[in-house]
Amino acid sequence: MNKVYYLLLLFLVRIHALLPLRLLYVISDFLYLIIYYIVGYRRKVVYDNLKQCFPEKSTKERVELEKRFYHHFCDIIIESLKQAHISQEELLRRTEIKNIEMINEWMKTGRSCILILGHYGNWEWFSSINFRIAPFGFGGVYRQLKSEVMDKLLLQIRSAYGAITIEKNQTLRELMQYKRDNKPVMISFLSDQTPSANNLHYWTTFLNRETSILVGAERIAKKLDFDVIYLDIQKVSRGKYAAEFKLITDNPKATAEFEITEKYARLMEETILRDPAYWLWSHKRWKHQR
């Protein structure tokens, strides 16, 4: 039965993805009205997050920010599904890399890299980066979904153009295999998620709040001696994004404990503060207290 559901869902997604983006954005505008005004999806979570992070803003300013976030959130839904049927050329046009020369130079070293970023802009579309760093392997770490059907669907969309997908519990094992095989890779980590209660190892001030930050990317980088690069994403206009690579370290073993994680937190915060509307405010980011 799961196979039937999967094929039906895949069919509907592909029909959706065949539509041009200009039409999909009309759908997104209607979706915004439903999600924001009728369903009220996680509005309390978003409101509380914005209030705690921006106490200096007026209620009116936070409501405007909230509405801009939900507009962007709906765009991300339709853009992510569009990834099931979008040409490589269009995806490359819509995801500019400002300093691709940095990666061209980095590839000459033959070293592997952890690309660390957050849920900002359209993080899904930047899986297109694998077109720009061939023959290096490129991909990302993901957290398996409870729904087997949705998990399989999202994996197919994310790997449509050859990107590697690694389930988070298998990350170290698989990256160690790439290292043993001498195959350089660039693997992305979305490190702005909430750590589990058993992984509250590092706390810092982030967006005016005491925040625990995931340290998995740092620990793997040190163990395997992988470079660490931050991807700073910007939303240029509707459906167009730009990003810039920023080196955190090319000598992870020489860094102090949590130094990499702290540098990431500061860079991620800088990205968000540039325009907060494009971060994933509906995420229950602050579930834990120090």
Side-chain angles (χ1 to χ4, degrees):
M1 187 62 73
N2 276 351
K3 185 176 182 180
V4 174
Y5 288 151
Y6 168 73
L7 292 174
L8 176 61
L9 192 56
L10 181 61
F11 172 75
L12 293 174
V13 167
R14 290 196 178 279
I15 291 296
H16 165 101
L18 286 171
L19 299 174
L21 271 169
R22 63 180 178 275
L23 178 56
L24 291 177
Y25 286 129
V26 175
I27 296 173
S28 176
D29 290 338
F30 281 106
L31 187 61
Y32 161 75
L33 297 175
I34 294 170
I35 288 179
Y36 185 73
Y37 288 104
I38 300 175
V39 177
Y41 173 72
R42 291 196 174 182
R43 280 190 61 178
K44 186 178 187 306
V45 173
V46 174
Y47 178 83
D48 288 344
N49 282 342
L50 292 174
K51 185 177 181 180
Q52 294 292 327
C53 292
F54 302 107
E56 77 284 358
K57 291 185 181 294
S58 66
T59 301
K60 181 180 179 180
E61 288 174 321
R62 288 197 293 267
V63 169
E64 286 301 314
L65 186 54
E66 180 183 277
K67 290 179 178 179
R68 289 182 60 225
F69 159 70
Y70 275 99
H71 272 293
H72 173 69
F73 179 74
C74 294
D75 282 357
I76 289 297
I77 293 173
I78 65 99
E79 288 172 2
S80 297
L81 294 177
K82 177 65 177 176
Q83 196 170 329
H85 194 283
I86 188 171
S87 70
Q88 176 178 327
E89 292 73 22
E90 183 175 6
L91 202 52
L92 290 174
R93 285 198 308 271
R94 293 181 175 278
T95 54
E96 176 194 0
I97 301 293
K98 291 184 176 181
N99 58 338
I100 191 65
E101 66 281 353
M102 173 185 169
I103 295 304
N104 292 334
E105 288 299 313
W106 167 76
M107 284 193 293
K108 294 176 184 177
T109 69
R111 288 174 57 80
S112 288
C113 166
I114 285 177
L115 187 68
I116 191 167
L117 64 156
H119 291 82
Y120 189 90
N122 190 326
W123 60 92
E124 292 284 358
W125 270 7
F126 276 94
S127 63
S128 66
I129 199 173
N130 65 311
F131 303 142
R132 300 179 172 101
I133 67 169
F136 273 49
F138 175 82
V141 175
Y142 76 96
R143 182 179 295 176
Q144 190 171 23
L145 299 177
K146 292 180 181 179
S147 167
E148 182 181 344
V149 172
M150 287 301 298
D151 190 66
K152 186 177 180 180
L153 178 66
L154 289 177
L155 282 179
Q156 179 156 337
I157 292 173
R158 287 167 176 169
S159 60
Y161 292 106
I164 302 162
T165 54
I166 301 176
E167 204 283 319
K168 72 179 185 69
N169 293 323
Q170 302 298 319
T171 304
L172 182 58
R173 180 183 300 174
E174 294 201 29
L175 293 184
M176 286 181 72
Q177 188 62 52
Y178 278 107
K179 187 175 179 70
R180 282 194 293 266
D181 294 342
N182 198 29
K183 293 180 179 178
V185 290
M186 176 183 279
I187 299 296
S188 62
F189 283 66
L190 287 161
S191 294
D192 59 346
Q193 297 177 337
T194 306
S196 65
N198 295 325
N199 290 290
L200 305 174
H201 302 301
Y202 181 68
W203 292 83
T204 188
T205 301
F206 180 73
L207 297 175
N208 290 320
R209 303 181 72 174
E210 283 289 292
T211 308
S212 183
I213 307 289
L214 287 166
V215 299
E218 174 176 326
R219 288 182 170 176
I220 291 175
K222 285 189 171 187
K223 187 174 184 66
L224 301 181
D225 193 31
F226 281 12
D227 295 347
V228 183
I229 296 174
Y230 174 69
L231 188 66
D232 180 13
I233 300 174
Q234 298 180 34
K235 186 168 185 176
V236 178
S237 60
R238 201 173 198 183
K240 289 192 176 181
Y241 302 87
E244 183 177 357
F245 294 105
K246 295 183 178 181
L247 180 67
I248 291 180
T249 181
D250 56 4
N251 190 6
K253 290 181 178 292
T255 60
E257 186 178 20
F258 304 130
E259 180 181 339
I260 292 172
T261 303
E262 177 63 23
K263 285 183 177 179
Y264 161 71
R266 300 284 68 81
L267 288 166
M268 187 73 246
E269 185 176 61
E270 185 179 310
T271 296
I272 295 168
L273 292 177
R274 185 170 55 228
D275 195 331
Y278 305 136
W279 193 48
L280 192 62
W281 292 100
S282 56
H283 178 51
K284 295 179 180 179
R285 181 63 185 83
W286 289 276
K287 290 190 290 187
H288 307 296
Q289 301 292 320
R290 185 195 283 266

